[in-house]
Amino acid sequence: MIRRFATTAVLTLCAAPVAAQGTWDTFHGQLSGQKYAPADQITADNVADLERQWTVHTGDMSDGSGELPPTVWSATPIYANDTLYIGTPFYRILALDPATGERKWTYDSQSRLEALTQPALKNRGVAYWAAENPEEGQACQRRVYLGTMAATLHAVDADTGEPCRDFAEEGILDVNQWNTTNDRWPLSLLQPPTVVGDTLVLGWAGKDWAYSEAPPGTVFGLDARTGEKLWEVNFIPEEIRQRTGTANVWTAMSADPELGLVYIPVSSPSPNYWGGNRTEDIPLATSVTAVDVESGKVAWSRQLVHHDIWDYDTNAAPTLMDIERDGQTVPVLVQTTKQGFLYVLNRETGEPIFEWEEREVPTSEAEGEEAAPTQPFPTAPPPTNDPDAWPGVWWLADAVSFGGCSRRAEAMQYEGLYTPPSVEGTLTYPATAGGMQWGGAAVDPESGLLYVNASRVVQEYRLIPREEYVDMQDGGSFAEQGYYAQEGAPYAFYLSNFQNWAGMPCWKPPFGTMSAYDIASGEKVWEQPFGRVQRYGFYMPESWGSPTIGGPAVTGGGLLFIGASIDSRVRALDTETGEQLWSDVVMAPAVANPAVFEHEGRQWVVFIAGGNSILKPEVGDEIAAYALPQ
């Protein structure tokens, strides 16, 4: 364990929005992405008494064995208007009483339950908007928005669940009307829009790893009342949009209303693992980009990966905070990444707070490829994953495989981070699985510390010459491993976790960690293995940790609440040390960020246990609410 206590007097939060005592009304709790609840009824001293108060099963789940595709449910519960609002993977909205779980109303979008762009039915929840000056007696002064995989955005009255007829066409906006270039699949709305004032900032998801030519990435600014498109940002230069695509925004965004900026994490271009069709500069791809929320104009952008051929999407909303440096208060954002880097930027100007180094990286031998000669490495804070070396072969997995792990490692190319995909096979660490994932980081304004969970996953990337691909099974799997076409490129692609025949990771544990950082000084304060691997009914040692999906929430009571791990447990950790203080077993891995809030004077923690077979093939439909006994 690394442990060093921060000198937190030099850091203050936050010009960016901080949580009100009783709200959790956006995907990350606040527009700042801090995931902070000031509620302090539950503390390190009494969290052991935390009890489940109610459970709701939605019925909206599938394991894929029947007529429906499997489900992946990663919805953050939204607490606003004295109500919990929850989106389901069957594209329904549930409005629940936070104290009892009793249903107030339900809205069914009647969306097609087909895996149009994803290997599963996916939903990350809903968004909430309220009029600044509500008109008495008028409907839809408070609204809930739900997107679908079929590219429709639904607006309903937050009080009644009735459609808001003044929004688009009788309450439904067809976003796919703007899908006009390389229209190979619908612009799936799996992540709820980010609500900034009266503007909905909307990204979309696509079909990964399938095509070279795909819809080019866009973000739309919409009028929250009417659904009218106010502006559009394009992330691929116009002159090359026809022969590439994506660089879309499939994850959450954050915003600073005082600066009038929304901060957009942009993904990689297509195809993801070969870039010979897009050797020109695409400066907004794999970036964090600040956009004026009124006009849609780009205020600044910082590219985090040049010519991305590793699927290193910028995959989480940056976390906003203020720090003190040289006697000045500096507004910053912290962008977490799949590579394990934390990029700290002045959120007003985009300038790095800590020096970046452009380091030489390996070249590619793939046909037509022109890998970038250098990549940016931040000098601080230290990464969650060692960028210079993968963990090495794990003796236990190697012994079980009779040396198979060692032989496979020796046969693959590996020259450190940014080793390009190859026909021979490339050992990739961190890989597209992370590093840090879309759950993002949390910030405690009292201690001044930032907390983030990270996976340590080693994967194999292999390019397959087109003429050899014809007899292979296309489409990969629900667990996002297997063969993928990259249609239009000279290479298809194979991706797999680096495991032995028994499914054991071939690399050394820990497989997942939780870390605390002092962003003002750029130091890591502590690091602990996090989570437990569960397989065949057995729990592995805590020191091994677990790969994770989903992020933490932090409270004024000095606690981190998080699900995220393979073992289908939800946990409370001590913010000072990372020590586990409480846990409970839920139906499936809780891969959604939790919600923490006060309702009628009582502090609540609500988890959604929906599962994600990237971790293990287990799905759920459970909403679990916790509070101290009365």
Side-chain angles (χ1 to χ4, degrees):
M1 180 183 77
I2 299 173
R3 182 172 176 180
R4 184 169 54 252
F5 289 97
T7 54
T8 56
V10 299
L11 184 150
T12 62
L13 288 184
C14 170
V18 180
Q21 186 75 0
T23 62
W24 198 269
D25 58 3
T26 76
F27 184 76
H28 284 316
Q30 307 83 42
L31 280 174
S32 61
Q34 290 177 3
K35 298 196 285 293
Y36 171 72
D40 58 4
Q41 288 180 7
I42 307 170
T43 68
D45 293 330
N46 63 22
V47 70
D49 299 326
L50 197 63
E51 294 179 351
R52 190 182 300 207
Q53 302 298 317
W54 55 261
T55 301
V56 167
H57 291 279
T58 69
D60 291 9
M61 72 173 186
S62 168
D63 63 6
S65 62
E67 295 182 357
L68 291 178
T71 50
V72 167
W73 193 23
S74 310
T76 298
I78 296 298
Y79 174 72
N81 193 30
D82 290 327
T83 304
L84 274 180
Y85 299 105
I86 295 166
T88 80
F90 285 6
Y91 309 111
R92 298 193 305 148
I93 305 172
L94 308 182
L96 307 179
D97 184 321
T100 65
E102 181 180 352
R103 194 168 300 188
K104 295 183 175 182
W105 54 258
T106 303
Y107 172 80
D108 190 341
S109 70
Q110 300 292 323
S111 183
R112 298 158 59 188
L113 299 184
E114 298 178 31
L116 300 172
T117 59
Q118 308 288 304
L121 301 173
K122 289 186 178 181
N123 173 267
R124 290 204 179 100
V126 297
Y128 176 82
W129 170 86
E132 185 176 358
N133 298 301
E135 298 178 30
E136 284 295 326
Q138 294 296 313
C140 292
Q141 299 303 289
R142 290 172 288 272
R143 303 184 182 202
V144 180
Y145 303 90
L146 172 75
T148 72
M149 193 177 294
T152 57
L153 182 65
H154 297 245
V156 304
D157 190 307
D159 294 320
T160 66
E162 293 297 314
C164 294
R165 304 292 180 185
D166 57 347
F167 183 83
E169 298 295 326
E170 298 295 312
I172 304 172
L173 174 66
D174 178 13
V175 174
N176 216 47
Q177 65 183 292
W178 303 316
N179 187 5
T180 57
T181 303
N182 300 333
D183 179 7
R184 292 185 177 271
W185 26 255
L187 307 183
S188 293
L189 308 179
L190 310 179
Q191 176 73 40
T194 299
V195 181
V196 189
D198 291 336
T199 301
L200 308 181
V201 186
L202 185 68
W204 48 264
K207 189 171 186 177
D208 287 340
W209 314 340
Y211 302 105
S212 294
E213 298 172 358
T218 46
V219 160
F220 306 112
L222 310 176
D223 186 299
R225 293 179 173 86
T226 67
E228 177 190 358
K229 185 171 73 168
L230 304 174
W231 48 259
E232 177 178 326
V233 181
N234 293 275
F235 299 103
I236 301 283
E238 184 175 5
E239 59 271 19
I240 63 171
R241 285 177 201 160
Q242 292 285 350
R243 55 183 164 87
T244 178
T246 64
N248 58 318
V249 181
W250 55 263
T251 189
M253 295 170 258
S254 52
D256 185 337
E258 291 189 8
L259 293 178
L261 297 176
V262 59
Y263 301 99
I264 299 178
V266 185
S267 72
S268 57
S270 63
N272 295 88
Y273 300 103
W274 178 84
N277 66 323
R278 49 176 175 86
T279 55
E280 297 92 339
D281 191 24
I282 308 178
L284 300 184
T286 318
S287 72
V288 56
T289 295
V291 168
D292 185 286
V293 76
E294 293 294 327
S295 67
K297 296 184 182 300
V298 173
W300 58 259
S301 183
R302 280 281 169 175
Q303 188 167 72
L304 308 181
V305 181
H306 307 318
H307 188 66
D308 188 350
I309 51 176
W310 302 270
D311 193 37
Y312 280 148
D313 298 343
T314 313
N315 64 347
T319 306
L320 313 186
M321 55 196 298
D322 287 359
I323 62 174
E324 294 292 328
R325 288 180 66 82
D326 302 324
Q328 300 284 324
T329 300
V330 182
V332 305
L333 64 77
V334 183
Q335 181 64 66
T336 57
T337 65
K338 291 182 178 181
Q339 307 95 286
F341 292 135
L342 289 83
Y343 292 91
V344 185
L345 304 174
N346 183 309
R347 69 174 181 269
E348 189 170 7
T349 65
E351 290 300 311
I353 299 301
F354 302 101
E355 183 181 356
W356 290 16
E357 298 175 350
E358 285 286 338
R359 299 183 190 173
E360 292 186 2
V361 293
T363 58
S364 174
E365 298 178 358
E367 175 189 342
E369 185 59 272
E370 296 179 18
T374 66
Q375 295 289 351
F377 287 70
T379 58
T384 59
N385 304 60
D386 186 348
D388 297 319
W390 72 291
V393 170
W394 186 22
W395 70 268
L396 182 58
D398 204 34
V400 170
S401 64
F402 302 101
C405 290
S406 293
R407 289 190 296 272
R408 285 178 59 201
E410 290 170 2
M412 287 187 281
Q413 294 188 6
Y414 179 72
E415 300 176 66
L417 184 63
Y418 299 117
T419 303
S422 63
V423 173
E424 296 78 13
T426 294
L427 196 70
T428 305
Y429 175 79
T432 186
M436 290 168 279
Q437 276 290 343
W438 54 262
V443 165
D444 181 347
E446 297 302 319
S447 68
L449 298 184
L450 178 142
Y451 302 91
V452 67
N453 54 300
S455 299
R456 294 183 176 177
V457 177
V458 181
Q459 294 183 306
E460 175 186 353
Y461 288 2
R462 182 155 49 92
L463 297 175
I464 303 168
R466 180 61 54 198
E467 63 273 13
E468 298 178 16
Y469 186 68
V470 291
D471 295 326
M472 297 178 180
Q473 178 64 43
D474 187 20
S477 69
F478 177 34
E480 298 188 9
Q481 297 186 63
Y483 294 96
Y484 295 87
Q486 295 198 142
E487 182 181 311
Y491 298 100
F493 184 75
Y494 175 76
L495 178 146
S496 177
N497 291 337
F498 183 36
Q499 296 174 321
N500 66 15
W501 65 268
M504 299 174 64
C506 279
W507 65 96
K508 297 174 185 176
F511 308 123
T513 60
M514 179 69 74
S515 301
Y517 287 88
D518 182 337
I519 298 301
S521 66
E523 295 182 339
K524 185 182 288 188
V525 179
W526 55 254
E527 179 182 281
Q528 291 272 24
F530 172 72
R532 297 181 77 174
V533 173
Q534 184 186 21
R535 194 171 180 86
Y536 307 122
F538 297 98
Y539 289 96
M540 305 303 145
E542 292 183 358
S543 61
W544 292 6
S546 166
T548 57
I549 297 176
V554 62
T555 77
L559 297 170
L560 291 171
F561 287 100
I562 185 171
S565 70
I566 288 177
D567 60 352
S568 301
R569 283 187 176 271
V570 294
R571 292 174 164 86
L573 311 180
D574 189 320
T575 56
E576 291 189 358
T577 65
E579 177 189 358
Q580 179 179 308
L581 302 177
W582 169 88
S583 72
D584 189 36
V585 177
V586 290
M587 185 178 184
V591 295
N593 296 340
V596 185
F597 55 90
E598 279 198 12
H599 175 69
E600 296 178 347
R602 194 178 187 192
Q603 182 177 348
W604 292 85
V605 184
V606 181
F607 289 94
I608 282 176
N612 188 319
S613 73
I614 294 175
L615 293 179
K616 66 177 178 180
E618 188 172 81
V619 297
D621 69 340
E622 184 177 68
I623 307 167
Y626 298 87
L628 293 173
Q630 286 187 310

